[in-house]
Amino acid sequence: MAALPYWRLSSFYLFYFALLGSTAPFLALYFDHLGFSAARIGELVAIPMLMRCVAPNVWGWLGDYTGRRLAIVRFGAICTLLTFSLIFIDKSYAWLAMVMALHAFFWHAVLPQFEVITLAHLSGQASRYSQVRLWGSIGFIITVVLLGRLFEWLSLDIYPQALVLIMAGIVFASFWVPNAQPVQGPRVAGDGFLRQLRNPGVLAFYACVGLMQVSHGPYYTFLTLHLEHLGYSRGLIGLLWAVGVVAEVLIFLLMSRILARFSVRRVLLASFLLAALRWLLLGSLAEFLWVLLFAQVLHAATFGSFHAAAIHFVQRSFGPRQQGQGQALYAALAGTGGALGALYSGYSWNALGATWTFSIASVAAFAAAVIIATRMQEDRP
């Protein structure tokens, strides 16, 4: 790894996903602490995901057009910190909705462009991506465990300060990372983004990205509240979130070998089927700790193997000139699905209950498995 700025790249992933580790398990809990209903919580959680429908494509086009991806990453990191800091002014629903939208517009500018920079540094060694990305999972684990314990000892009123501190870390890491550009080959006929998007299996893949994130809606929005209602402590809930991400780290360490042996199609298919099983277990049997632990271990599939295989698929499906747009569309479809998942779970949680809400998630994941099985062509390992 002499030529690879491994620790600089890894530090960015560590802070970026530390922020996700502070929002995914605890953002809904914080809004509940402020007194909002389940429907309002679902809406507030959905707003940042909705911004992923627009922001990555805007910034992805700008990154491909200008080539100044690292400048976009740094600008996005700074603006994320500044706009989120507006949360200290007011805690009304309308103000929080604005803060969620503003900071998410810039936050979602960051990762797709950084993924292109990382792959450019890897220079044709895309299978080693997981070795860098695993530090994001480590950042998630550290944050979710520490904050879970912290919120047992102190009030959730300190939650915004914790997020601002992590955002400052993202800004610092973005200025530590050296720039890199994907190799620009000569333009050839048929290398346009829309033409590459119509290649066999690509549209089916992107539809399944959306479905996978729809299925994660109740998990990211209400799992912490669900487990609290079942009697689990906040410290234990933090550890249970960490179990899932530990499993994710382990699968990232193995992904280069897995993708060398199995096709991307088979890895994606297995990920969707295991996701369908996971949501059924969380919705119906989460009161049993051993079932809950097993369901959290399945995070290795529902995020770990799925994300690594998806990044590999996008990198393989688009040329160097379209990498930013390919990654941005991946983020945008994930955001669209995540927003729909948060919205439906917010409205169904009180009306239908946890079991039915997670069952709908399971159906979405199984539908994606059917699409992958029938519409995506088998590729060589």
Side-chain angles (χ1 to χ4, degrees), residues 7-16 70 73-74 77 114 166-178:
W7 293 111
R8 297 187 184 195
L9 294 171
S10 299
S11 70
F12 183 88
Y13 284 103
L14 185 138
F15 281 109
Y16 186 92
L70 189 56
V73 168
R74 290 168 176 170
F114 196 80
I166 295 169
M167 290 175 183
I170 297 175
V171 173
F172 168 79
S174 71
F175 280 90
W176 194 35
V177 173

Side-chain angles (χ1 to χ4, degrees), residues 15-310:
F15 281 109
Y16 186 92
F17 285 96
L19 183 57
L20 185 61
S22 63
T23 54
F26 301 116
L27 187 60
L29 189 64
Y30 177 67
F31 292 144
D32 181 71
H33 171 73
L34 294 178
F36 292 109
S37 67
R40 298 292 84 78
I41 291 171
E43 291 163 2
L44 288 170
V45 171
I47 288 170
M49 298 180 184
L50 282 170
M51 295 310 296
R52 290 181 71 184
C53 309
V54 178
N57 289 306
V58 172
W59 297 109
W61 173 84
L62 188 63
D64 284 341
Y65 181 76
T66 65
R68 302 188 63 185
R69 304 183 197 281
L70 189 56
I72 291 172
V73 168
R74 290 168 176 170
F75 177 75
I78 292 170
C79 290
T80 299
L81 173 61
L82 294 178
T83 53
F84 184 81
S85 298
L86 296 172
I87 199 172
F88 297 111
I89 296 176
D90 191 20
K91 300 294 192 300
S92 68
Y93 175 81
W95 188 263
L96 288 174
M98 183 195 71
V99 171
M100 291 297 103
L102 281 177
H103 96 274
F105 179 76
F106 295 106
W107 188 30
H108 295 316
V110 169
L111 187 61
Q113 301 308 307
F114 196 80
E115 298 277 37
V116 177
I117 293 169
T118 298
L119 290 169
H121 276 295
L122 290 170
S123 186
Q125 304 174 73
S127 62
R128 293 175 62 191
Y129 164 82
S130 299
Q131 299 170 16
V132 177
R133 172 57 181 80
L134 70 86
W135 284 96
S137 304
I138 292 171
F140 189 105
I141 292 168
I142 293 171
T143 307
V144 77
V145 171
L146 290 181
L147 289 184
R149 291 296 184 187
L150 187 64
F151 295 147
E152 277 192 341
W153 302 329
L154 302 173
S155 169
L156 273 162
D157 291 332
I158 67 166
Y159 181 68
Q161 288 88 337
L163 264 62
V164 165
L165 186 63
I166 295 169
M167 290 175 183
I170 297 175
V171 173
F172 168 79
S174 71
F175 280 90
W176 194 35
V177 173
N179 198 13
Q181 295 283 358
V183 176
Q184 299 284 346
R187 290 186 181 273
V188 297
D191 73 346
F193 175 71
L194 292 178
R195 187 180 295 273
Q196 293 181 24
L197 190 62
R198 291 194 295 268
N199 286 339
V202 176
L203 288 176
F205 162 78
Y206 278 114
C208 292
V209 168
L211 285 170
M212 180 62 113
Q213 296 309 313
V214 167
S215 80
H216 277 75
Y219 177 72
Y220 284 127
T221 309
F222 289 110
L223 180 66
T224 299
L225 290 172
H226 179 46
L227 297 183
E228 268 204 337
H229 292 158
L230 291 176
Y232 294 97
S233 69
R234 288 177 182 173
L236 180 55
I237 291 169
L239 289 172
L240 288 166
W241 276 89
V243 165
V245 187
V246 168
E248 172 190 313
V249 170
L250 295 177
I251 203 71
F252 275 139
L253 290 172
L254 297 173
M255 277 311 297
S256 60
R257 297 180 183 178
I258 292 173
L259 288 172
R261 183 171 181 180
F262 299 100
S263 67
V264 169
R265 176 179 176 271
R266 291 185 180 183
V267 173
L268 290 172
L269 180 60
S271 299
F272 287 123
L273 290 173
L274 291 173
L277 172 62
R278 186 187 186 197
W279 308 140
L280 288 177
L281 294 177
L282 287 178
S284 303
L285 299 169
E287 64 270 24
F288 301 104
L289 182 59
W290 69 270
V291 174
L292 185 54
L293 286 169
F294 175 69
Q296 287 302 88
V297 169
L298 290 180
H299 194 70
T302 63
F303 182 80
S305 62
F306 165 75
H307 179 69

